Amino acid sequence: MIKTKKSGESKKNSESKKNRKSKKHISTLILLFILFEIAFTAITGPFVLYYGPFKNAKTTVVGAAMTTLTLQWLATSFISDAKIKQIMSEQKVDDIVQDNLKSEIKIKNKNDKGIERYDIKGRKFKGYLLIINDPTRIKVGYSSKIGKEGELTSDIAKANNAIAAINGGGFTDKTAESLWTGTGANPAGIIMSNGKIVYDGIKDENQKRQSVALTKVGKLLVGPYTIKEMKSLGVTEAVSFGPAMIVDGKKAINTGDGGWGIAPRTCIAQRKDGAIIFLVIDGRQLSSIGATLREAQDVLYDYGAYNAVNLDGGSSSTLVYDDEILNNPCDNLGERAVASIIYAERR
């Protein structure tokens, strides 16, 4: 009896070992299949995207890649420069020239301390919007280390006693000492603050450049302007960036998505009553992928924007309000150092 039992147990143990080996073998096959699928998708995915029938997806990816220095390889590795140029040209923003003689902007809220805050939600993005009723509170701030390195939007805001601030114009990281060091070191274009040009990367008063400017009376200028033109119009605050998305009440992006893909966005706009709008949309995150220029334009239009312009986006996008960073910058380290900001004075 005892021997029979031992024999039965031995048989059961043998079968159990076989089952475990069989399950392990199946698990290994499943794992190998999953790894194969991942590798296959990674290799063939870009070719399906770029050479398949998905035109909108292709346009979005190319636009997003080509408007950031670090991700351009996502497009240039798979398609030709000529094809990239063609795709980008099909997503043009209409070039509408601002008419400063017939402007409907009427400043109504000078010395108004009110600031309104709104949470923004789209199908694939979230963001924050501030309305500053008095446009004469809006100023341009800049890094105290221009030419060497940038500073965080929150730090520049604090140094200028700002109640609200967004990152401003574009910049390059190249310095005299080394390449790609000193993040936010050199502004692209100009910085004008309190009526003085504190940085001039244009060197030609008659050269038009996409601009974001405010006059002494609080009017927002958007689109291409020369330094000479801005001076004649009484501009006291300015950075270089664009494109203009709403001009004299007309949307500049009516077909396509604007050609810049999906990304974090920073924008500034002005309503007819003069109130200034700050908009920042988060991106490159699971909770908020980002927005196209057209989507940002439409948000601003819905909030009454009469003139609106795109500012530096991506990992630079930051919104500070009452010493708190409202949005979630996509850089791994949090806020990115920038060359300039646009802020509202604390009163």
Side-chain angles (χ1 to χ4, degrees), residues 185-201:
N186 300 316
I190 69 162
I191 295 178
M192 185 185 295
S193 179
N194 291 312
K196 296 180 180 179
I197 295 178
V198 297
Y199 187 94
D200 183 1

Side-chain angles (χ1 to χ4, degrees), residues 64 67-71 151-153 166-169 171 173 183-184 241 262-266 280-285 289 311-319 325 327-339:
T67 52
T68 175
L69 288 173
T70 57
L71 297 176
E151 294 179 319
L152 303 181
T153 296
I166 50 177
N167 60 291
F171 54 84
D173 289 331
T183 301
F241 216 78
I262 297 171
R265 299 286 173 212
T266 300
V280 168
I281 294 174
D282 283 332
R284 300 173 187 166
Q285 302 162 32
I289 298 173
L311 290 165
D312 191 19
S315 56
S316 297
S317 288
T318 306
L319 173 59
I325 300 171
N327 73 309
N328 186 21
C330 69
D331 193 278
N332 292 332
L333 300 177
E335 275 190 90
R336 183 182 182 183
V338 298

Side-chain angles (χ1 to χ4, degrees), residues 99-174:
D99 188 345
N100 292 296
L101 297 177
K102 298 180 180 179
S103 174
E104 295 186 32
I105 298 292
K106 306 295 180 185
I107 310 298
K108 298 179 180 179
N109 300 306
K110 286 186 179 180
N111 301 313
D112 187 330
K113 297 180 182 179
I115 296 180
E116 304 165 35
R117 171 184 165 177
Y118 299 92
D119 291 348
I120 303 300
K121 289 185 179 180
R123 286 189 304 107
K124 59 182 182 296
F125 62 81
K126 63 180 179 65
Y128 303 89
L129 184 145
L130 298 180
I131 297 177
I132 300 96
N133 289 305
D134 181 359
T136 64
R137 297 175 68 179
I138 307 302
K139 307 292 181 183
V140 167
Y142 52 93
S143 170
S144 62
K145 304 173 184 178
I146 287 289
K148 295 182 179 179
E149 59 183 306
E151 294 179 319
L152 303 181
T153 296
S154 58
D155 287 342
I156 303 175
K158 187 175 182 180
N160 286 279
N161 193 31
I163 183 66
I166 50 177
N167 60 291
F171 54 84
T172 60
D173 289 331
K174 185 178 179 181

Side-chain angles (χ1 to χ4, degrees), residues 13-14 16 27 221 338:
N13 289 336
S14 177
S16 178
S27 296
L221 303 184
V338 298

Side-chain angles (χ1 to χ4, degrees), residues 26-325:
I26 292 171
S27 296
T28 301
L29 288 176
I30 292 173
L31 179 59
L32 289 173
F33 177 75
I34 292 172
L35 292 174
F36 170 77
E37 285 292 308
I38 292 173
F40 181 79
T41 302
I43 294 170
T44 62
F47 294 96
V48 174
L49 172 66
Y50 290 125
Y51 298 100
F54 313 108
K55 183 177 180 180
N56 289 339
K58 176 170 62 178
T59 298
T60 298
V61 172
V62 171
M66 296 309 296
T67 52
T68 175
L69 288 173
T70 57
L71 297 176
Q72 290 184 2
W73 63 271
L74 287 173
T76 57
S77 299
F78 301 98
I79 52 180
S80 67
D81 291 343
K83 187 63 177 177
I84 291 173
K85 188 175 181 179
Q86 178 191 338
I87 291 171
M88 296 296 284
S89 68
E90 292 173 352
Q91 298 293 313
K92 290 192 302 183
V93 179
D94 292 342
D95 187 12
I96 306 173
V97 178
Q98 205 169 12
D99 188 345
N100 292 296
L101 297 177
K102 298 180 180 179
S103 174
E104 295 186 32
I105 298 292
K106 306 295 180 185
I107 310 298
K108 298 179 180 179
N109 300 306
K110 286 186 179 180
N111 301 313
D112 187 330
K113 297 180 182 179
I115 296 180
E116 304 165 35
R117 171 184 165 177
Y118 299 92
D119 291 348
I120 303 300
K121 289 185 179 180
R123 286 189 304 107
K124 59 182 182 296
F125 62 81
K126 63 180 179 65
Y128 303 89
L129 184 145
L130 298 180
I131 297 177
I132 300 96
N133 289 305
D134 181 359
T136 64
R137 297 175 68 179
I138 307 302
K139 307 292 181 183
V140 167
Y142 52 93
S143 170
S144 62
K145 304 173 184 178
I146 287 289
K148 295 182 179 179
E149 59 183 306
E151 294 179 319
L152 303 181
T153 296
S154 58
D155 287 342
I156 303 175
K158 187 175 182 180
N160 286 279
N161 193 31
I163 183 66
I166 50 177
N167 60 291
F171 54 84
T172 60
D173 289 331
K174 185 178 179 181
T175 65
E177 293 80 16
S178 181
L179 184 64
W180 307 121
T181 61
T183 301
N186 300 316
I190 69 162
I191 295 178
M192 185 185 295
S193 179
N194 291 312
K196 296 180 180 179
I197 295 178
V198 297
Y199 187 94
D200 183 1
I202 299 175
K203 310 297 184 183
D204 182 355
E205 281 202 339
N206 296 304
Q207 179 183 331
K208 285 187 180 292
R209 181 71 69 95
Q210 288 289 335
S211 304
V212 184
L214 282 129
T215 67
K216 186 176 181 179
V217 298
K219 181 181 176 182
L220 178 67
L221 303 184
V222 300
Y225 283 92
T226 67
I227 294 175
K228 191 173 183 179
E229 286 172 333
M230 286 192 283
K231 286 179 177 179
S232 69
L233 291 167
V235 167
T236 57
E237 317 291 326
V239 296
S240 297
F241 216 78
M245 300 181 294
I246 302 172
V247 182
D248 294 343
K250 300 175 184 177
K251 292 182 179 182
I253 308 170
N254 297 289
T255 58
D257 61 18
W260 288 44
I262 297 171
R265 299 286 173 212
T266 300
C267 309
I268 184 173
Q270 186 170 44
R271 300 188 316 204
K272 281 187 179 182
D273 65 357
I276 293 294
I277 303 172
F278 286 172
L279 172 66
V280 168
I281 294 174
D282 283 332
R284 300 173 187 166
Q285 302 162 32
L286 290 177
S287 60
S288 183
I289 298 173
T292 64
L293 286 184
R294 187 173 185 175
E295 288 170 331
Q297 166 196 263
D298 291 347
V299 169
L300 292 166
Y301 192 83
D302 289 344
Y303 276 83
Y306 185 74
N307 289 300
V309 62
N310 178 55
L311 290 165
D312 191 19
S315 56
S316 297
S317 288
T318 306
L319 173 59
V320 178
Y321 181 48
D322 202 12
D323 300 322
E324 177 188 357
I325 300 171

